[in-house]
Amino acid sequence: MNISLNGEQKTISGIHTVTDLLNDLTLIPGSVVVELNNEIIQPDSYDAAVLADQDRIEIIRFVGGG
Amino acid sequence: MLTIAGTEFSSRLFLGTGKFSSSAVMAEAIEASQCQMITVALRRVDLENPDDDIMSTLGKREYTFLPNTSGARDAKEAIRLAKLARAASGTSWLKLEVTPDPRTLLPDPVETLIATEELVKEGFIVLPYMNADPILALKLQDVGAAAVMPLGSPIGTNQGVLTEAMIEIIIEQAHVPVVVDAGIGAPSHAAYAMEMGADAVLVNTAISVAGDPVVMAAAFAKAVEAGRSAFEAGLGQSVKQASASSPESGKLSTDLGFLA
């Protein structure tokens, strides 16, 4: 399955949900915000958020800034 | 005590967290600044360095986080970033920044007003970054901005409060707190803004790129406190004609007749 992850095209396999994707990327769920096709996914919905071919996923977090 | 949207702040120095050389220096500088409000930005996670997380340094402490919408070029982008920020922070505080021109980073007044109105309706506590325009300040206040943040000079330029005449009018007219943001490059600039009656200042670059950011953070804390005290004490009027500080009577030259 092909997805757009933070603006880059990726081919993934064995990853079905947002939880799987965060685990694969070794990201702690509470430390990031996930947007799936421009919709924010709440952490309690990560397990239920099933990924599909051509999905656009943004994984975002706070950084230093003024 | 400064109150914004019902939250009290004993420190009138807000600190930006950008451009620090390391998380450790940033944490020490924040400590030295005694600030209670700190700004952060939202960016894509660097998937090559997933452990690089500012909140692992900051998250354990009790600050009010003021996420910004830096990078937004119009109201629509700012609103999207605001919603992401709320999801990430769990709070509704927001520094609204809409800067379409990456060269000047000046705020777009029309888009800022549109986004403020929309975000206030959605329950955000909106502190808009704005040009030092007194009319715009009133319009932002009317649509529900919790404070206004006029610029002293363009972001990151360290040029100080070049917009002083306009900021004075904003302070005189606004019913919401006025936070002078951007361009404050030295503790003297911060003290000057506070002497004018600003409710707070937001400083980032001047501290984060200083030779010693921790010492500079402490210097800004003192300057902001001094400036505020001076404002509360009431500054003497500036006049052109000299007026002696020492008593006019009892001078040796007149009363004793010397040199008369």
Side-chain angles (χ1 to χ4, degrees):
Chain A
M1 155 165 83
N2 293 312
I3 60 168
S4 162
L5 179 59
N6 284 4
E8 289 188 20
Q9 292 300 315
K10 298 265 180 198
T11 302
I12 55 171
S13 59
I15 291 169
H16 306 290
T17 65
V18 168
T19 300
D20 294 342
L21 181 64
L22 294 180
N23 285 340
D24 186 64
L25 296 167
T26 67
L27 287 169
I28 301 162
S31 74
V32 297
V33 180
V34 179
E35 209 186 47
L36 176 58
N37 301 324
N38 289 337
E39 293 286 330
I40 296 169
I41 308 295
Q42 297 301 330
D44 57 6
S45 300
Y46 287 169
D47 283 341
V50 176
L51 301 182
D53 195 42
Q54 303 305 321
D55 273 349
R56 282 171 294 115
I57 298 145
E58 295 283 351
I59 304 178
I60 293 154
R61 68 163 43 136
F62 286 126
V63 299
Chain B
M1 191 78 90
L2 168 64
T3 305
I4 303 178
T7 300
E8 290 191 336
F9 299 91
S10 55
S11 166
R12 292 172 181 272
L13 172 59
F14 300 170
L15 200 65
T17 55
K19 299 192 263 193
F20 280 94
S21 59
S22 73
S23 294
V25 171
M26 177 188 68
E28 262 193 84
I30 292 170
E31 191 76 33
S33 76
Q34 297 169 29
C35 75
Q36 294 161 313
M37 174 91 97
I38 56 181
T39 65
V40 286
L42 271 181
R43 290 292 180 271
R44 284 170 167 163
V45 172
D46 176 1
L47 297 172
E48 306 300 315
N49 294 296
D51 296 332
D52 183 16
D53 181 11
I54 192 173
M55 295 312 271
S56 63
T57 306
L58 298 176
K60 302 168 197 118
R61 295 157 191 264
E62 293 204 353
Y63 303 113
T64 297
F65 285 96
L66 184 63
N68 69 32
T69 60
S70 65
R73 293 163 296 183
D74 57 26
K76 195 171 160 231
E77 288 183 358
I79 291 165
R80 180 182 174 201
L81 278 164
K83 289 177 179 172
L84 286 165
R86 181 156 65 180
S89 68
T91 80
S92 301
W93 288 87
L94 188 76
K95 175 183 167 183
L96 176 65
E97 263 184 87
V98 185
T99 55
D101 180 358
R103 195 177 64 83
T104 63
L105 293 173
L106 288 170
D108 182 324
V110 177
E111 296 292 312
T112 300
L113 184 61
I114 292 168
T116 299
E117 186 163 20
E118 179 65 32
L119 289 166
V120 167
K121 280 183 194 152
E122 300 213 21
F124 283 89
I125 300 166
V126 184
L127 288 73
Y129 169 59
M130 55 172 287
N131 212 317
D133 177 341
I135 305 293
L136 179 62
L138 293 181
K139 290 196 172 186
L140 289 166
Q141 174 181 289
D142 286 348
V143 298
V148 289
M149 304 217 291
L151 58 85
S153 48
I155 293 175
T157 62
N158 291 335
Q159 294 184 88
V161 189
L162 301 182
T163 54
E164 56 183 284
M166 298 303 131
I167 287 187
E168 272 179 0
I169 300 173
I170 293 172
I171 290 168
E172 185 198 325
Q173 294 185 339
H175 299 303
V176 294
V178 177
V179 183
V180 177
D181 180 13
I184 291 181
S188 56
H189 301 158
Y192 182 55
M194 297 307 295
E195 285 169 4
M196 283 164 55
D199 294 280
V201 293
L202 199 163
V203 182
N204 187 345
T205 303
I207 292 175
S208 61
V209 306
D212 186 334
V214 179
V215 173
M216 188 61 85
F220 266 96
K222 289 178 203 164
V224 168
E225 216 175 302
R228 180 66 191 179
S229 294
F231 170 72
E232 287 175 355
L235 292 166
Q237 217 180 0
S238 165
V239 291
K240 300 245 188 259
Q241 177 65 45
S243 141
S245 307
S246 307
E248 285 297 320
S249 61
K251 285 192 279 196
L252 299 185
S253 57
T254 51
D255 295 9
L256 296 182
F258 295 158
L259 306 171

